Amino acid sequence: MPSAAEKPAAPIRWVEISVASHPEAVEAVSEILDRVGYNGIAVDVALDEGPHVVKAYVVYDHAARVKVRRVKEAIGRLRAFGLGPVGEVAVRRIADLDWLESWKSQFTPVRIGPFFVRPSWSTARAEGVEIVLDPGMAFGTGLHPTTRQCLEAVGEIDVAGRSVLDVGTGSGILAIGAMKRGAARVVAVDVDPLAVRAAEENARRNGVAIHVALGSAADVAGTFDVVLANLVADVLVRVAAELRAHLAPGGTLVCAGIVREKEELVARALRGAGLTPRGRDQRDDWVRLDLA
Ligand code: SAH
């Protein structure tokens, strides 16, 4: 008799909840879907002027209906709030295999600055500094504009021989990129245990040694030549002083994940913490700020 712990014979069925959303509302929609999503959310980033699509997957069981209802209620409130156009909540059932495939189809090899980011299941030949990832989560796959912006920064900043702190490491993509470009030491933190595990696994996969820890900037000791913080606007405002405290004299802080409408708010908080703006990059509605 197979034990209960063994793989069930019937494939798990999933419910995919997806919401088309204007770039300005992606952050808020993601936050709502993230409350129910198994292993987070995925964002299908629009390649043209169309909306992004935020997706979450929940196991098709007795709790799925409640989760769908909660999402619909929260999205309804968000729409009433008037934050960028947000589409109807679409719900469909899918088999396990489809789910895995849908993750994979969203993540194809991509060149970003000097880097060539490829999923672990792709055999594409590297044309640059290779980063191999198995995301297991939405962020850090190299597809999201904020990840691209930050990875480009890691490609541009002279990190060789320097110390780097990556706050909100996600899949570890930026930390791995920094190590591959010759950083002397990289510390990566994330408040999400799933991210910590993914970053550790991805570091191993890429043959680089990164110190990954659960927590945020406040839990790290010392200062760093480069501090990377691809977080959301409100979190950046909250941790501005901590980011400043970890920046070595003459160092560079890269902040991203800032929706355009909150740029001034974040910039003010960072200036208030004693940081000086040095550069800015905008992709779609996402802003990256470089400070010293
Ligand atoms: N650095 C990756 C992931 C960015 S997503 C990339 O560029 O693609 C943002 C990550 O920050 C998430 O993994 C989230 O769990 C984490 N996070 C959110 N708030 C945080 C905080 N206060 N301190 C540290 N990490 C945080």
Side-chain angles (χ1 to χ4, degrees):
M1 277 289 282
S3 78
E6 271 176 46
K7 225 174 160 218
I12 299 174
R13 293 190 69 87
W14 300 87
V15 177
E16 181 191 77
I17 306 174
S18 59
V19 181
S21 130
H22 185 271
E24 270 178 22
V26 161
E27 193 183 329
V29 171
S30 300
E31 211 245 306
I32 290 168
L33 288 183
D34 196 39
R35 288 178 214 155
V36 300
Y38 180 91
N39 219 357
I41 49 124
V43 182
D44 275 351
V45 176
L47 297 175
D48 50 23
E49 296 303 298
H52 296 339
V53 179
V54 184
K55 293 178 179 174
Y57 297 88
V58 304
V59 175
Y60 179 57
D61 61 11
H62 62 280
R65 274 176 67 142
V66 179
K67 289 176 182 162
V68 168
R69 197 175 65 228
R70 268 171 47 204
V71 167
K72 285 190 171 171
E73 283 168 3
I75 294 288
R77 280 195 295 274
L78 187 67
R79 293 169 94 185
F81 193 67
L83 175 73
V86 175
E88 293 289 341
V89 177
V91 180
R92 69 181 183 113
R93 265 196 297 173
I94 52 172
D96 210 6
L97 192 66
D98 298 340
W99 181 49
L100 286 174
E101 292 310 311
S102 82
W103 278 107
K104 291 188 179 181
S105 66
Q106 286 171 39
F107 180 24
T108 50
V110 59
R111 259 215 87 144
I112 301 171
F115 298 102
F116 183 75
V117 186
R118 75 166 170 84
S120 55
W121 56 85
S122 153
T123 52
R125 277 249 323 249
E127 321 151 15
V129 182
E130 190 176 54
I131 299 178
V132 184
L133 289 186
D134 202 342
M137 54 164 38
F139 268 87
T141 57
L143 294 175
H144 197 276
T146 66
T147 302
R148 284 172 184 263
Q149 284 175 309
C150 290
L151 198 57
E152 280 170 17
V154 174
E156 285 160 14
I157 298 168
D158 183 15
V159 294
R162 304 266 176 82
S163 57
V164 178
L165 173 63
D166 182 16
V167 184
T169 195
S171 64
I173 183 171
L174 307 178
I176 293 165
M179 276 309 283
K180 289 234 167 170
R181 289 206 67 241
R185 184 170 73 98
V186 178
V187 175
V189 288
D190 202 296
V191 291
D192 179 355
L194 283 178
V196 169
R197 210 168 62 212
E200 279 168 347
E201 280 168 12
N202 282 324
R204 213 171 305 124
R205 192 171 271 126
N206 285 274
V208 294
I210 291 163
H211 183 77
V212 189
L214 184 66
S216 191
D219 303 303
V220 180
T223 59
F224 297 79
D225 301 314
V226 178
V227 177
L228 307 168
N230 186 10
L231 303 161
V232 292
D234 297 341
V235 176
L236 285 169
V237 169
R238 227 169 44 226
V239 302
E242 279 297 335
L243 296 176
R244 165 77 176 84
H246 286 85
L247 195 62
T252 304
L253 168 65
V254 176
C255 290
I258 307 161
V259 283
R260 172 65 197 93
E261 65 185 13
K262 292 200 175 168
E263 178 180 357
E264 211 16 72
L265 183 79
V266 175
R268 212 179 310 132
L270 293 166
R271 280 197 305 268
L275 292 151
T276 311
R278 289 273 189 258
R280 177 186 186 278
D281 179 76
Q282 184 171 351
R283 201 78 40 94
D284 298 336
D285 268 352
W286 297 99
V287 176
R288 181 189 99 202
L289 297 175
D290 303 338
L291 305 106

